[in-house]
Amino acid sequence: MVRWLVASLVFGFSIALSGLASAQGSVSSPFDDSVCMSPSQVTASLQDPNGFYAGAPKCEKLCKKAFKDCKQYVKDAASCQNAEINDDASYAKTECEVEFEHGSESKTCKTEIEQEHNSDHSASRSERDAALGDCGSWAATCQATCSGS
C-alpha cells in the first residue's frame, strides 16, 4: 500500500542520514505494521452469500443484519486507516524537522509527505467505497438465496 511506501522512504531517509538521527534517537512511528484491518479485509472475511443463510429461519432479516454490520465494520476499518495515515504523516513530518531542521529542505520534505498523505487518503476512500459496494452485493446475493422466509 502507499502507506508502506511512504514509511519505507522515510526509513530510507533516516538510514541515509543516520548520523543525526542516531544521535538524537528515532522519531518515526513505533509500529512496524498496520494496526488496522483494511476495508477490503472486512469484506474478504464474509462467508459465501450463496447459501450461508439459505434455508435458515429469518434468512432475509439475517442478510439485512449482516449488511448493516458489514457497512459499519468497513467504516470502522476506514476510520482506523485514516487515523493511521494521519499519524504516519505526523511522524514523517517530524522526521523532516529532525533531518533537515529548517529551511527549504525541510519544507520540501514536508510538502512531499503532505502529497503522499493526500494520496493515501484518496486511496483509503476508494477502498472504503469499493468495500461498501461489496457489502451491498453480498447482501443482495444473500437475500436472493432466501426462500421467502
Side-chain angles (χ1 to χ4, degrees):
M1 185 174 164
V2 176
R3 198 173 84 49
W4 179 84
L5 179 60
V6 170
S8 296
L9 290 172
V10 170
F11 181 72
F13 278 120
S14 66
I15 294 295
L17 302 167
S18 62
L20 178 60
S22 64
Q24 296 176 350
S26 178
V27 294
S28 62
S29 174
F31 302 100
D32 63 358
D33 202 0
S34 176
V35 296
C36 302
M37 179 180 260
S38 73
S40 60
Q41 288 172 316
V42 170
T43 56
S45 70
L46 286 166
Q47 298 289 328
D48 181 1
N50 287 305
F52 191 71
Y53 290 129
K58 302 192 186 254
C59 177
E60 289 181 20
K61 182 177 181 178
L62 292 166
C63 293
K64 288 177 184 178
K65 179 174 176 18
F67 176 52
K68 178 181 172 238
D69 290 342
C70 183
K71 289 190 305 184
Q72 186 59 54
Y73 295 152
V74 163
K75 290 175 184 177
D76 290 346
S79 178
C80 184
Q81 265 190 342
N82 285 327
E84 202 168 36
I85 289 167
N86 291 339
D87 289 346
D88 287 348
S90 177
Y91 282 112
K93 286 178 182 179
T94 301
E95 187 78 19
C96 292
E97 293 168 5
V98 169
E99 298 297 334
F100 302 111
E101 293 182 14
H102 303 291
S104 65
E105 292 167 328
S106 178
K107 186 175 181 178
T108 298
C109 180
K110 288 180 180 181
T111 299
E112 290 171 0
I113 298 300
E114 192 62 33
Q115 289 170 345
E116 290 294 328
H117 175 254
N118 292 338
S119 176
D120 288 349
H121 274 298
S122 178
S124 178
R125 281 189 299 273
S126 293
E127 183 180 11
R128 179 205 60 209
D129 293 347
L132 288 170
D134 291 344
C135 289
S137 295
W138 187 95
T141 301
C142 181
Q143 288 183 357
T145 66
C146 295
S147 58
S149 44

